[in-house]
Amino acid sequence: MRIMLIGPSAAGKTTLIQRLRDKEIKYDKTQAVEYVGNFIDTPGEYMQQRGYWGSLTITSYDADIIGLVQDSTSEDCWFSGGVSTKFAKPVIGILTKIDSEDSNQKQGRSYLELAGCRDIFPVSSYTGEGIDALMDNIHRILDRYKTDNASIYADDYFD
Ligand SMILES: Nc1nc2c(ncn2[C@@H]2O[C@H](COP(=O)(O)OP(=O)(O)OP(=O)(O)O)[C@@H](O)[C@H]2O)c(=O)[nH]1
Ligand SMILES: [Mg+2]
């Protein structure tokens, strides 16, 4: 199972992947699409600059599930309304940096809802809060997607 993360620069995608893989947390600017274990990390600029969007769409074919990553300390929303429907894949929302005193979960959640995310997971890569809930639920979401869309997929599509 492969998870692809999409979100603006500094949203916390790379740090989250480091946390999920039990690696050392250290800043490492993402320069290109990177396949890291069961994850696909993407540079924020690829979604913030229109011309790169095609690269994200193509790469999404390699993923089983897409995570739209919103920084809960940011006032900005880079996701266009209903963007989750652009992917023929299950899409979840991930709200990062909930440990920060500047975190505004309510606002971040509303941005992800507008983007079309039905399942939203608040997490902190620093403290680990919400990380287990995120990983525990991913398989449930994939199963639900499979059931909901059973009529359009071959029986072995998800194997
Ligand atoms: N307080 C707090 N800061 C975080 C958390 N996760 C990431 N950060 C900080 O946010 C900054 C950006 O994190 P990255 O993971 O590099 O962000 P990114 O989304 O990969 O950014 P690009 O590679 O530019 O697309 C870094 O300084 C991180 O230390 C978190 O859970 N809590
Ligand atoms: Mg990065």
Side-chain angles (χ1 to χ4, degrees):
M1 197 242 326
R2 204 181 264 146
I3 309 167
M4 176 175 176
L5 298 185
I6 296 177
S9 191
K13 302 176 294 297
T14 302
T15 313
L16 178 60
I17 292 172
Q18 289 168 346
R19 178 80 198 198
L20 290 168
R21 300 184 72 230
D22 281 330
K23 301 288 182 195
E24 184 194 347
I25 304 280
K26 67 171 193 309
Y27 180 65
D28 185 11
K29 172 75 189 95
T30 311
Q31 305 285 357
V33 171
E34 283 181 27
Y35 287 65
V36 196
N38 286 334
F39 299 90
I40 306 177
D41 196 3
T42 64
E45 292 77 8
Y46 277 38
M47 72 149 302
Q48 292 173 288
Q49 294 178 30
R50 191 185 282 245
Y52 284 94
W53 186 258
S55 158
L56 295 181
T57 313
I58 294 285
T59 307
S60 74
Y61 283 87
D62 282 342
D64 299 294
I65 186 161
I66 313 286
L68 300 186
V69 181
Q70 169 70 38
D71 178 349
S72 71
T73 70
S74 172
E75 303 244 312
D76 301 326
C77 174
W78 282 89
F79 301 113
S80 41
V83 70
S84 65
T85 58
K86 295 252 180 225
F87 304 96
K89 299 272 155 107
V91 177
I92 59 169
I94 302 173
L95 197 52
T96 56
K97 309 189 190 179
I98 61 168
D99 60 277
S100 169
E101 58 182 25
D102 298 327
S103 174
N104 183 347
Q105 286 199 46
K106 197 168 168 224
Q107 180 174 266
R109 183 174 281 274
S110 72
Y111 289 160
L112 289 169
E113 283 170 355
L114 285 170
C117 299
R118 187 165 150 196
D119 301 282
I120 296 171
F121 300 94
V123 298
S124 166
S125 302
Y126 281 11
T127 66
E129 191 181 350
I131 298 288
D132 286 347
L134 168 64
M135 290 319 286
D136 290 350
N137 277 288
I138 279 185
H139 288 283
R140 180 184 61 76
I141 289 163
L142 275 171
D143 282 346
R144 187 186 69 204
Y145 190 85
K146 185 178 170 181
T147 311
D148 287 353
N149 297 284
S151 60
I152 56 170
Y153 288 107
D155 285 347
D156 60 353
Y157 181 86
F158 288 94
D159 291 344

